[in-house]
Amino acid sequence: MAYYTLQDYDAAKSNLEQLRQRSDNYDGNNPNKFRAPIADATERLYIIEREMKLSGQLPATEVEKLGFELDKLFPDARHGQVVELNEKKYKRRATPGAYSLAGNPKFWILSWDHLDSD
């Protein structure tokens, strides 16, 4: 686990906002001009934010805390896999965080869905 500071977080957030603003203001004929840098900046911010929430430097929601616990207990869980914790079932979800220029997912955001027993 890498160690990040609030300055790293703020810089990554600012960089992403600047790239998005530049993309919004761009009036050229290349619709993909900022797509790759925005995808890279999105991934960097996601990694920093996740690591800082794991370490307690940023507040995490109860859902995120539960997700971290499930990640620790089931580190090899794959998308769609169902696990049980405290008599409750959870399903692993993998959602694309950003796409490459080729249209493939650049990175995955992993989360857990609570499955109702009804």
Side-chain angles (χ1 to χ4, degrees):
M1 177 186 302
Y3 182 78
Y4 295 103
T5 65
L6 285 175
Q7 290 81 12
D8 296 326
Y9 175 71
D10 290 339
K13 197 172 179 179
S14 176
N15 182 47
L16 179 57
E17 289 170 5
Q18 288 173 3
L19 286 167
R20 286 183 174 155
Q21 187 65 42
R22 287 177 66 195
S23 177
D24 290 345
N25 293 337
Y26 177 68
D27 62 358
N29 63 357
N30 181 357
N32 292 322
K33 182 165 179 71
F34 292 97
R35 189 168 167 185
I38 288 173
D40 290 342
T42 301
E43 181 178 21
R44 176 157 175 77
L45 179 59
Y46 172 74
I47 290 168
I48 291 171
E49 186 173 69
R50 180 174 168 78
E51 293 295 325
M52 291 183 74
K53 286 181 178 185
L54 271 167
S55 70
Q57 292 176 281
L58 288 178
T61 66
E62 292 304 314
V63 171
E64 289 170 328
K65 290 176 186 176
L66 175 63
F68 297 152
E69 182 179 354
L70 288 165
D71 288 345
K72 196 181 299 183
L73 293 171
F74 306 99
D76 298 324
R78 299 179 60 84
H79 175 72
Q81 183 174 345
V82 175
V83 300
E84 190 170 325
L85 176 65
N86 299 330
E87 299 180 14
K88 295 182 182 176
K89 292 184 179 184
Y90 300 91
K91 186 176 184 179
R92 171 57 106 191
R93 178 194 305 222
T95 308
Y99 292 92
S100 69
L101 288 176
N104 299 318
K106 180 160 178 18
F107 71 99
W108 295 94
I109 295 174
L110 301 176
S111 61
W112 293 93
D113 292 330
H114 177 256
L115 301 177
D116 293 325
S117 57
D118 301 3

